[in-house]
Amino acid sequence: MMNPRNDSLSHIHSHVVHVPWPPMVTGVAATLAVLLHELESSQWLSHEVILQKQLEQLSLLVNYAAQYSPYFKAKCEQMGARTKNIATLEDLRQLPILMRSDIQQAGESLHCTEVPKTHMPWVEAKSSGSTGEPVVVRKSNINGLLWQANMMREHFWHQRDFRGSLLVIRNSVSEPVQQDGWGPPVNVLYKSGRTMGLPILTNMDELLKAILDFKPEHINIYPSTLDALINHCQKQGVTIDCIKHIWAFSENLTPPVRQRAKDFFGASVEDDYSSNELGIIALQCPVSGLYHVMAETVLLEVLDAAGNPCAPGEIGRVVATSLHNFAAPLIRYDTGDYAQVGPLCPCGRGLPTLQSIKGRTRNMVTWPDGTKYWPLIGYQQYSAVAPITQFQFIQHDLQHIEARLVVTSELTLEQESALCSIVHKSLGYPFTIRFSYFQGRIPTGKNGKFEEFISMIA
Ligand SMILES: [Zn+2]
């Protein structure tokens, strides 16, 4: 099967004066172009060949880390783990797991005392402190290039037209801004349309006005903001038909929000799974909707409670190895996330899949008997019984759940009671529910991320 944008590299803009055709690129753009060409073909390799290539790369990485990372060396010696000639997944599984707390404690000793010259320079990647365990790790220039290549892959897979305008709403934008072009990596290779950036705290009136004025074809948005925008538009009786691609990021995009966005905007809704430490971990397949692991850059394990690999359909914790980070070995790094293993994808790509990304342990409800459970939280059911525009559940202890709500009119006792019944069913236990009401929006965490369910139980 051919990638519909397989010819995309023939439209790159030339870097050489007076030579528009055939286009020629130099420097970083040339490296990126070659990398994209490689990724275009590697995605179609068989599952077995991809795994073999990953293991060859892994063996080099483990051997290097055992030599240059004092932390990794000591830890492997202490566990009696073999670091030479890693050739199978069993070989990988005898290596130590790297927890976030290990990274914090290891400090400088995690980092390699030498980084290959061609991988330089390194930069620091700070991961969000959403688990209360912020970490800082080094990433090399090679990791940066691979991140950019995977970002381009995401654009190609979803056939985003770079000539169209882009609206970006995110935490890192401090005030409204407009610029020509989409910024790197797109404008390294292509001419692109205008971009508008808005801060995450932009109120819904302003956001709607910006969309109606700017008419973006693409929007890059947090799922919770997307959901609030749809509510606002519906309340105002406004329809928006300019948006063709909605490109969600950062928070977990739930099936109900995805469906609402698809129905309301008539747009393609596209998701990815990424982190600052690892770059893009998985991208949603344009054919099946499964999440393809970026196997050229990351070797992903999904493990059950006993540390054994999960079978397709099972949910486990995501343990990732960044295959090209020779500045800080993120080998068997426990991301703190949970995901459901997917089957081989019908699209024909050999890249492994995840069925869904579940979030973190703190997004699981705990029943009084200690069982942890992924709550089924469905907006449609709630809005059918009460005028709710936003909700969030906080589990404070084994008996009590706080339901935080934003409503358009005060709920009656009957509505609260009807809501309780649905919540009990969704959470799988008749918790005592306390209602708290908020004006406008429910505040997000320090990192700007909104989570529908948060457990305060350690
Ligand atoms: Zn696929």
Side-chain angles (χ1 to χ4, degrees), residues 285 288 292 345 347 349:
C285 176
S288 67
H292 277 293
C345 188
C347 74
R349 289 178 177 87

Side-chain angles (χ1 to χ4, degrees), residues 49-326:
V49 172
I50 288 175
L51 177 60
Q52 193 51 44
K53 302 253 177 219
Q54 286 185 304
L55 290 169
E56 285 165 19
Q57 180 62 36
L58 176 74
S59 182
L60 286 171
L61 176 76
V62 171
N63 195 32
Y64 189 89
Q67 208 174 340
Y68 293 107
S69 164
Y71 168 84
F72 185 73
K73 182 173 190 271
K75 189 84 181 175
C76 289
E77 280 173 3
Q78 189 191 330
M79 287 181 60
R82 186 164 57 77
T83 56
K84 290 231 178 298
N85 304 321
I86 299 292
T88 64
L89 287 173
E90 286 70 34
D91 293 343
L92 170 68
R93 287 197 280 269
Q94 47 98 43
L95 293 171
I97 297 266
L98 180 68
M99 305 298 293
R100 293 174 77 86
S101 54
D102 293 329
I103 297 180
Q104 287 176 324
Q105 282 160 25
E108 182 62 29
S109 73
L110 176 72
H111 297 129
C112 292
T113 51
E114 264 183 51
V115 180
K117 267 202 183 86
T118 45
H119 293 222
M120 291 292 280
W122 53 256
V123 293
E124 280 189 338
K126 291 183 179 129
S127 141
S128 68
S130 58
T131 56
E133 293 175 293
V135 294
V136 182
V137 292
R138 288 180 193 157
K139 287 190 311 192
S140 78
N141 190 41
I142 300 298
N143 299 124
L145 274 167
L146 289 164
W147 191 339
Q148 294 205 347
N150 281 332
M151 282 169 80
M152 293 305 295
R153 172 183 262 178
E154 180 171 12
H155 293 315
F156 293 153
W157 278 13
H158 297 299
Q159 300 184 59
R160 295 173 187 155
D161 186 342
F162 303 136
R163 293 165 302 184
S165 49
L166 167 67
L167 174 63
V168 174
I169 303 133
R170 58 170 66 204
N171 203 25
S172 55
V173 178
S174 54
E175 54 186 55
V177 61
Q178 281 206 40
Q179 65 174 40
D180 281 328
W182 289 17
V186 169
N187 64 355
V188 173
L189 290 169
Y190 298 92
K191 289 200 165 64
S192 51
R194 282 189 71 70
T195 301
M196 176 188 273
L198 290 174
I200 183 74
L201 291 175
T202 305
N203 73 44
M204 287 299 138
D205 281 327
E206 286 169 25
L207 178 55
L208 179 56
K209 185 176 180 306
I211 291 173
L212 295 174
D213 291 346
F214 187 64
K215 298 190 172 49
E217 281 175 39
H218 307 80
I219 72 172
N220 186 204
I221 190 167
Y222 285 71
S224 58
T225 313
L226 178 64
D227 196 36
L229 174 65
I230 298 169
N231 287 338
H232 189 72
C233 291
Q234 286 176 335
K235 209 163 79 184
Q236 304 284 320
V238 177
T239 53
I240 294 172
D241 55 12
C242 57
I243 297 171
K244 297 191 174 76
H245 295 267
I246 297 168
W247 159 21
F249 74 105
S250 185
E251 299 164 349
N252 194 13
L253 176 68
T254 59
V257 173
R258 176 193 295 278
Q259 193 58 48
R260 288 187 81 210
K262 219 170 154 185
D263 295 345
F264 183 77
F265 295 102
S268 166
V269 183
E270 300 141 9
D271 193 21
D272 68 20
Y273 171 36
S274 64
S275 81
N276 280 348
E277 312 93 291
L278 299 163
I280 296 182
I281 300 165
L283 286 180
Q284 205 164 24
C285 176
V287 176
S288 67
L290 294 165
Y291 290 79
H292 277 293
V293 176
M294 301 293 96
E296 296 93 343
T297 57
V298 65
L299 200 169
L300 216 66
E301 299 171 81
V302 179
L303 304 177
D304 66 17
N308 298 316
C310 291
E314 290 176 353
I315 297 170
R317 64 202 166 106
V318 176
V319 171
T321 297
S322 181
L323 288 170
H324 305 90
N325 192 342
F326 286 68

